Amino acid sequence: MAGHSKWANIQHRKGRQDAKRGKVFTKLIKEITVAAKMGGGDPGANPRLRLAIDKAKGQSLPKDNIDSAVKRGTGQLEGVNYEEIRYEGYGINGAAVMVDCLTDNKVRTVAEVRHAFAKHGGNMGTDGSVAFMFKHCGQLLFAPGTDEAKLMDAAIDAGADDVATNDDASIEVITAPGDFLAVKEALESTGFIAEFAEVTMKPLNETEFAGEDALKMQKLLDALDGLDDVQAVYTTAVMDE
């Protein structure tokens, strides 16, 4: 982590998400719909749906929107049939990028993703070309100043896989994907509220970007994230604040 601020990068990312709240809501609704379709409309029996609803509530998505999305997924309301697909590629200086999509038209989606890569100095890769550079896990980030010893004890008791303190004094708690919600809720019950928490594809190694290269890389990530069919973008690139 040396040389850059994990905390600043996460805050930067949150700020960009807040600035495009409408698109965030659309992505949350699509994820709830797909989760309900695949595993049923009961969050208690469908971990993916429970996670999607929890994330939606964290972004203040109205309850009516959540309920309607669940009903579209279970067939109680008419809805679009979405398909999950992941694209992999490279950005500036070979930084790895993974793009998760939910689409009702794969031909359109792959064309848009390929165009975004090409327009902003990247290129599409083949399936599996960069996936090995990421770990599927739950990630909770706590602000600098959090009591490290108490958080570590609570996280271990809750079943977390790892706790690490970054160079900027922020603290990361890592969980197995299936344990994420249980660990998050257990930590919240003891007073530890994460500033950022999600199931993600965490890069195993990171590449720092600064100056013009950082601007170019950010433009690529924004172009991909701005596509209607894109749900999430993961990268090994870290922008120097």
Side-chain angles (χ1 to χ4, degrees):
M1 300 283 179
H4 71 270
S5 170
K6 173 71 72 173
W7 184 246
N9 270 277
I10 291 294
Q11 293 301 100
H12 176 68
R13 230 172 94 192
K14 283 180 66 178
R16 299 183 88 87
Q17 289 176 341
D18 290 342
K20 50 184 180 182
R21 181 57 62 90
K23 277 193 174 293
V24 171
F25 278 6
T26 300
K27 293 180 180 185
L28 292 168
I29 289 168
K30 286 171 72 172
E31 171 60 22
I32 291 169
T33 301
V34 170
K37 180 181 179 181
M38 294 181 67
D42 177 9
N46 183 346
R48 178 172 174 175
L49 178 61
R50 186 174 166 217
L51 180 61
I53 291 175
D54 183 75
K55 187 173 182 179
K57 288 179 177 177
Q59 292 286 344
S60 301
L61 181 66
K63 184 177 184 300
D64 287 349
N65 296 66
I66 293 173
D67 292 343
S68 294
V70 172
K71 288 177 180 177
R72 280 194 295 271
T74 57
Q76 294 171 268
L77 292 176
E78 187 175 348
V80 179
N81 186 29
Y82 295 112
E83 183 178 357
E84 293 182 285
I85 189 164
R86 170 174 287 166
Y87 299 105
E88 303 178 38
Y90 302 91
I92 308 301
N93 298 333
V97 181
M98 286 204 307
V99 186
D100 281 351
C101 303
L102 286 175
T103 180
D104 60 348
N105 186 328
K106 288 174 63 176
V107 174
R108 177 192 67 223
T109 305
V110 69
E112 291 178 346
V113 171
R114 182 178 289 113
H115 176 72
F117 269 111
K119 183 177 179 181
H120 296 282
N123 61 280
M124 290 267 285
T126 56
D127 288 349
S129 58
V130 303
F132 67 93
M133 301 182 194
F134 298 84
K135 176 184 179 180
H136 188 211
C137 63
Q139 180 187 35
L140 300 97
L141 188 72
F142 296 85
T146 301
D147 189 315
E148 180 181 2
K150 288 184 179 178
L151 175 58
M152 182 172 291
D153 287 344
I156 291 172
D157 288 344
D161 286 350
D162 191 24
V163 181
T165 301
N166 298 314
D167 288 350
D168 58 8
S170 62
I171 304 173
E172 279 185 272
V173 175
I174 303 300
T175 77
D179 296 337
F180 169 76
L181 270 179
V183 173
K184 178 173 177 284
E185 290 169 356
L187 291 176
E188 288 174 351
S189 72
T190 58
F192 290 105
I193 310 299
E195 294 292 330
F196 179 84
E198 68 175 3
V199 174
T200 186
M201 298 298 292
K202 179 178 169 62
L204 299 177
N205 293 289
E206 295 175 330
T207 303
E208 291 183 45
F209 283 79
E212 191 65 26
D213 282 348
L215 292 174
K216 290 178 181 177
M217 188 67 197
Q218 190 64 61
K219 284 183 179 179
L220 168 59
L221 298 176
D222 286 346
L224 289 166
D225 198 44
L227 297 175
D228 289 342
D229 296 334
V230 171
Q231 288 293 103
V233 179
Y234 309 104
T235 182
T236 57
V238 174
M239 312 310 162
D240 187 17
E241 292 294 312

